[in-house]
Amino acid sequence: MGERKATHITWHEGAVTREDRERSLGQKGVTVWMTGLSASGKSTIAVALEQVLLSRGKQAYRLDGDNVRFGLNKNLGFSAEDRAENIRRIGEVAKLFADAGVITVASFISPYRRDRGLVRKLHDESDLPFLEVYVDCPIEEAEKRDPKGLYKKARAGELKGFTGIDDPYEAPEEPELHLPTRQYSVAESVSAIVEMLETRGILRAPPTRGDSR
Amino acid sequence: MGERKATHITWHEGAVTREDRERSLGQKGVTVWMTGLSASGKSTIAVALEQVLLSRGKQAYRLDGDNVRFGLNKNLGFSAEDRAENIRRIGEVAKLFADAGVITVASFISPYRRDRGLVRKLHDESDLPFLEVYVDCPIEEAEKRDPKGLYKKARAGELKGFTGIDDPYEAPEEPELHLPTRQYSVAESVSAIVEMLETRGILRAPPTRGDSR
């Protein structure tokens, strides 16, 4: 029992706050929500963005189909109800990451305005920034790229309810950032996002309590 | 268009890895899973633990009923099926946080061995550490504390399926850490968890690639 020395353990009443975490990390928590067609370039931009932020000592984390569809949301299908629940859960998880102080980069087609609006509302209610980035690639261009052959399958009727083919994509009306991929290179897209984060004060710690600078 | 300067943006092929994130944070991602009866002291210990870790410059985040039950899991009730899904989703989210490099402190009654075992398996499959901490408070003691009056309600039959009263608590058989709260103060409990994290190398960054130290 003599080994349980705890004299170096001290703490005070009350939980660590979001601001405490943000000051420790030197940044503010945020959700950067990238929406756009399949093959529009969302993931490519998100991957590059994470690297650039890490190289500046910032903590970012990507949420995408790879780490969500086969994990948290593996019990969801593609019915209208399940699609809405898919985005809702992702929105809730993004909110937790943002609350932890992380620059959270969510990259999902998320075709419906209503679903994205609900995620924005979740963040608003918790006073967490939600920045919608519209990765705007014309369907002809996305279909030409078709790296996974999904558009081809959708055209052949092998995939039903495919966004842009037989299911709508509802473009954001007032995204915080619009990235027309025909005019913006990946580097320019990443640069535009980083600039948005800088302008909004995300890349620096919040001021100390009572600090009026 | 001339404002979209991107010359300072450079990146390489391939996504940022977990190890990259861990090196940047100077710690390893982990899930510390605290299980025990209602009013056993899980939250108190978790809150103090987060403070102590933050004071050492480590990034921790707590997942608990407060930020999960009314968010991600608000569409779940208390049926056997929903309870299992509750823990499954929390386990998946804890896994994402651990993958992000965060010291994730999950604090839930999580009474069933099977559910906790599934969360452990999820982590094992992704080669992420899962450390089960049994906050072992005798039911008589927990019932005496009863800060929210829940035991009282359960005894009166106003709450059904309450763990320890009319629903079982299955104690961990081989937890990574056993905290008998009758013998351990909160400070001693936190100290024991920090020591476990130190011993397991969680509080330092992973070695650089090719570094054979």
Side-chain angles (χ1 to χ4, degrees):
Chain A
M1 301 288 262
E3 292 201 49
R4 288 188 280 103
K5 295 197 198 74
T7 47
H8 58 300
I9 299 289
T10 58
W11 72 96
H12 53 82
E13 279 298 302
V16 168
T17 66
R18 181 189 306 161
E19 287 70 29
D20 294 332
R21 287 188 288 269
E22 290 178 335
R23 271 189 287 274
S24 178
L25 286 167
Q27 64 185 44
K28 294 191 193 82
V30 66
T31 292
V32 176
W33 189 277
M34 303 182 64
T35 172
L37 294 171
S38 178
S40 59
K42 296 182 300 299
S43 290
T44 306
I45 296 168
V47 164
L49 174 64
E50 191 186 3
Q51 277 189 31
V52 168
L53 290 170
L54 188 79
S55 74
R56 297 184 182 196
K58 300 302 170 189
Q59 192 196 12
Y61 189 66
R62 276 182 304 118
L63 296 172
D64 58 25
D66 290 342
N67 58 15
V68 169
R69 252 294 169 201
F70 304 104
L72 177 65
N73 291 353
K74 73 176 178 186
N75 53 2
L76 295 175
F78 291 89
S79 68
E81 196 186 1
D82 278 11
R83 281 175 191 232
E85 172 68 3
N86 178 49
I87 297 300
R88 186 193 73 81
R89 287 189 201 167
I90 293 164
E92 290 282 6
V93 172
K95 200 182 96 174
L96 291 171
F97 270 92
D99 183 51
V102 177
I103 299 170
T104 316
V105 184
S107 165
F108 297 90
I109 299 174
S110 49
Y112 304 133
R113 230 168 257 149
R114 183 172 178 277
D115 294 343
R116 296 193 306 266
L118 287 174
V119 176
R120 181 186 290 275
K121 188 157 168 276
L122 283 180
H123 284 71
D124 286 351
E125 286 166 356
S126 292
D127 200 22
L128 280 164
F130 175 85
L131 305 176
E132 194 174 16
V133 176
Y134 176 25
V135 183
D136 179 10
C137 175
I139 179 98
E140 307 78 46
E141 175 63 24
E143 192 167 356
K144 205 159 63 189
R145 297 177 185 174
D146 203 13
K148 299 175 196 164
L150 297 176
Y151 284 95
K152 204 174 163 190
K153 279 187 185 169
R155 289 283 183 202
E158 293 165 35
L159 276 178
K160 299 288 180 193
F162 195 79
T163 299
I165 305 295
D166 57 349
D167 215 60
Y169 177 78
E170 300 172 356
E173 287 172 328
E174 296 185 88
E176 273 73 12
L177 189 63
H178 178 208
L179 298 175
T181 62
R182 261 215 279 236
Q183 288 119 64
Y184 281 42
S185 67
V186 174
E188 285 169 331
S189 294
V190 171
S191 185
I193 298 174
V194 171
E195 195 183 310
M196 171 180 71
L197 296 176
E198 277 172 349
T199 304
R200 290 171 182 264
I202 302 295
L203 302 184
R204 54 177 188 268
T208 311
R209 258 171 285 213
D211 186 337
S212 58
R213 275 178 304 185
Chain B
M1 300 289 263
E3 292 201 50
R4 287 187 283 103
K5 296 196 198 74
T7 48
H8 57 301
I9 298 289
T10 58
W11 72 95
H12 53 81
E13 280 298 304
V16 168
T17 66
R18 180 189 305 160
E19 286 71 28
D20 293 333
R21 287 189 288 270
E22 290 177 334
R23 270 189 289 273
S24 177
L25 287 167
Q27 64 185 43
K28 295 192 192 80
V30 66
T31 292
V32 176
W33 189 277
M34 303 182 62
T35 173
L37 293 172
S38 179
S40 59
K42 297 182 299 299
S43 290
T44 307
I45 296 169
V47 164
L49 174 64
E50 191 187 3
Q51 278 189 30
V52 168
L53 289 170
L54 188 78
S55 74
R56 297 187 181 192
K58 301 301 170 189
Q59 193 195 12
Y61 189 66
R62 276 182 305 119
L63 295 172
D64 57 25
D66 289 341
N67 58 16
V68 168
R69 251 295 170 199
F70 304 103
L72 177 66
N73 291 354
K74 72 175 178 187
N75 53 1
L76 295 175
F78 291 90
S79 68
E81 196 185 2
D82 278 10
R83 282 176 191 233
E85 173 67 2
N86 179 49
I87 297 298
R88 186 194 74 82
R89 287 189 201 167
I90 294 163
E92 291 282 5
V93 172
K95 201 182 97 174
L96 290 172
F97 270 92
D99 183 51
V102 177
I103 299 170
T104 316
V105 183
S107 164
F108 297 89
I109 300 173
S110 48
Y112 304 134
R113 228 168 258 148
R114 183 171 177 278
D115 294 342
R116 297 192 307 264
L118 287 174
V119 176
R120 180 185 291 276
K121 190 159 166 275
L122 283 179
H123 284 72
D124 286 351
E125 287 167 355
S126 293
D127 200 22
L128 280 164
F130 175 86
L131 306 176
E132 194 173 15
V133 176
Y134 176 26
V135 182
D136 179 9
C137 175
I139 178 97
E140 307 78 47
E141 174 64 23
E143 192 167 355
K144 204 161 60 189
R145 297 177 185 174
D146 204 13
K148 299 176 195 162
L150 297 175
Y151 284 95
K152 205 175 164 190
K153 281 189 184 167
R155 289 284 183 202
E158 293 165 35
L159 276 178
K160 299 287 180 194
F162 195 79
T163 299
I165 305 296
D166 57 347
D167 214 63
Y169 177 77
E170 300 172 357
E173 287 172 327
E174 295 185 88
E176 273 73 12
L177 188 64
H178 179 207
L179 298 176
T181 62
R182 261 216 279 236
Q183 289 119 65
Y184 280 43
S185 67
V186 174
E188 286 170 330
S189 294
V190 172
S191 185
I193 297 175
V194 171
E195 193 182 311
M196 170 180 72
L197 296 176
E198 276 172 349
T199 304
R200 290 172 183 262
I202 301 295
L203 302 183
R204 53 177 189 268
T208 314
R209 257 172 284 214
D211 185 337
S212 57
R213 278 179 299 186

